[in-house]
Amino acid sequence: MLVILWDPDTLLHQTVELLGSKLIPALESPERLEAILKALRSSKYELRTIEFASPQDDRRITRLLEFTSATHSPDYLQHLRDIFQTWLDAGLIKQDGHVLPECFVYPTTTGKPLRPPKDPFARAGYYAFDMSSGIMSDSYKAIVASANLASEGTDMLAGFANLPNDIDTAVALCRPPGHHCDGQRAGGYCYINNAALAVSTWRSGHPEAKVGILDIDFHHGNGTQEIFYADPRVLYVSIHGEDEFPYYTGAADETGNGDAEGTNINLPLKVGSSIEEYLEKLDYGQQKLVDFNPDFLIISLGFDTFHSDPLGHFQIHTEDYEIISRTTRHALKGIPTLVLLEGGYVIDQLGANMLSFLKGWNS
Ligand code: Q9C
Ligand code: ZN
């Protein structure tokens, strides 16, 4: 059985980005989630509303932050919580403004450790790698609510939550997404790595577990790769646009470090690739995941592989998501699976694309 989770607080985050040298409303918008919700509400699927903020359960919050801290640095998490207020207090923005960096960390030959700068503008750049990760008044609330969905979904699958245990798939409608965040900085619309949080949540009850991550967002999940690059118990498999954002990662020769050698599999595909070319890579990736035999599977699901996506460039259509989903399910049947929403920016097709994916999962 499949359960779908969302939290109304995730709609609160609505920021700006620099794209093509223009400052515009971020393409990663609340309307994306609204479109998916609209389609799901008139479907047969069970949609469960989670409200992280309202029942003030301190233990729940402490637990979430503890699991997040396993892969995210405490100063970065404090930054996410505080930077909007810092800018506000310094008079840099008004209540309706956005924190956006203008200077980034760069390599030096000094050998000195990097330290967070005092200047509030500089701090924004120290904790980000691009200008598509703005922070507005309610961003932190939404970021935490989004992350919590990954954790709640994992709890249900792991049997930590009191729920019917015939649920073997949870779909977390996360926004903001997570796979570009490496635990030290934001970027690519991502602030907390939701997949990494799901891994620590699962491990709280199963410390030795093996986790498979299949990343089918159009973009390489540099953050997820980075976090698990030296972890032999996590197999990361990503199919993504070659030489596309985030540009500095995603090559096939990035295969893992030390005893985790072989547990990072990048399958870059040329821009303009067809569904046939895509399914070849997918089949290869699925086989590697089957061989790894994970106890828990995470799918980072982006719909920016869609043919008309403004940020993605594959030839994938609505009906193809059904095939992608069905083949994955069949290959990895029986493994509890958490599906995390990542990107996808053709708002009026997101609902149909999600329904197509869910149809394939159940067939
Ligand atoms: N010239 C996700 O899909 N800007 N993030 C790209 C290309 C950032 C995408 C600019 C795209 C981030 C989760
Ligand atoms: Zn993407």
Side-chain angles (χ1 to χ4, degrees), residues 5-6 10 28 32-33 145-147 149-150 171-178 194 339-342:
L5 311 175
W6 81 290
T10 65
E28 199 293 284
R32 296 176 59 242
L33 179 59
S146 177
L149 292 175
V171 179
L173 300 179
C174 299
R175 84 162 286 272
N194 301 319
V339 178
L340 299 174
L341 184 63
E342 300 284 357

Side-chain angles (χ1 to χ4, degrees), residues 154-355:
T154 307
D155 280 344
M156 293 178 183
L157 297 169
F160 304 155
N162 301 325
L163 270 154
N165 32 10
D166 55 341
I167 291 178
D168 67 0
T169 305
V171 179
L173 300 179
C174 299
R175 84 162 286 272
H179 75 152
H180 294 306
C181 171
D182 63 2
Q184 313 287 323
R185 56 190 61 75
Y189 310 138
C190 302
Y191 305 82
I192 284 179
N193 192 304
N194 301 319
L197 173 57
V199 172
S200 358
T201 304
W202 187 273
R203 283 179 167 169
S204 70
H206 312 276
E208 304 292 306
K210 284 187 291 178
V211 183
I213 303 177
L214 176 63
D215 190 331
I216 51 174
D217 184 278
F218 174 80
H219 304 98
H220 180 240
N222 60 297
T224 312
Q225 164 171 302
E226 182 71 20
I227 289 171
F228 296 113
Y229 206 64
D231 189 331
R233 289 204 170 88
V234 174
L235 176 64
Y236 177 71
V237 176
S238 174
I239 307 171
H240 50 268
E242 187 169 44
D243 301 328
E244 290 283 308
F245 182 88
Y247 307 115
Y248 304 107
T249 60
D253 63 1
E254 297 157 13
T255 53
N257 269 348
D259 60 352
E261 172 61 49
T263 64
N264 194 90
I265 301 180
N266 285 330
L267 305 171
L269 252 185
K270 297 233 176 309
V271 156
S273 288
S274 65
I275 181 65
E276 289 76 21
E277 292 164 303
Y278 191 90
L279 290 175
E280 267 177 46
K281 298 276 180 199
L282 182 65
D283 184 65
Y284 179 85
Q286 287 165 354
Q287 214 32 253
K288 293 289 177 186
L289 283 160
V290 169
D291 296 344
F292 187 69
N293 191 25
D295 305 292
F296 176 43
L297 177 67
I298 299 170
I299 300 180
S300 271
L301 173 61
F303 292 110
D304 40 13
T305 50
F306 192 61
H307 64 93
S308 59
D309 197 280
L311 298 180
H313 314 284
F314 289 154
Q315 290 304 315
I316 290 184
H317 294 77
T318 299
E319 60 274 20
D320 298 328
Y321 292 109
E322 189 182 329
I323 307 171
I324 290 170
S325 166
R326 186 189 308 119
T327 57
T328 305
R329 175 62 160 173
H330 282 179
L332 294 150
K333 198 142 196 136
I335 303 173
T337 302
L338 177 71
V339 178
L340 299 174
L341 184 63
E342 300 284 357
Y345 308 99
V346 183
I347 291 173
D348 63 0
Q349 296 300 314
L350 278 174
N353 290 343
M354 179 58 91
L355 289 177

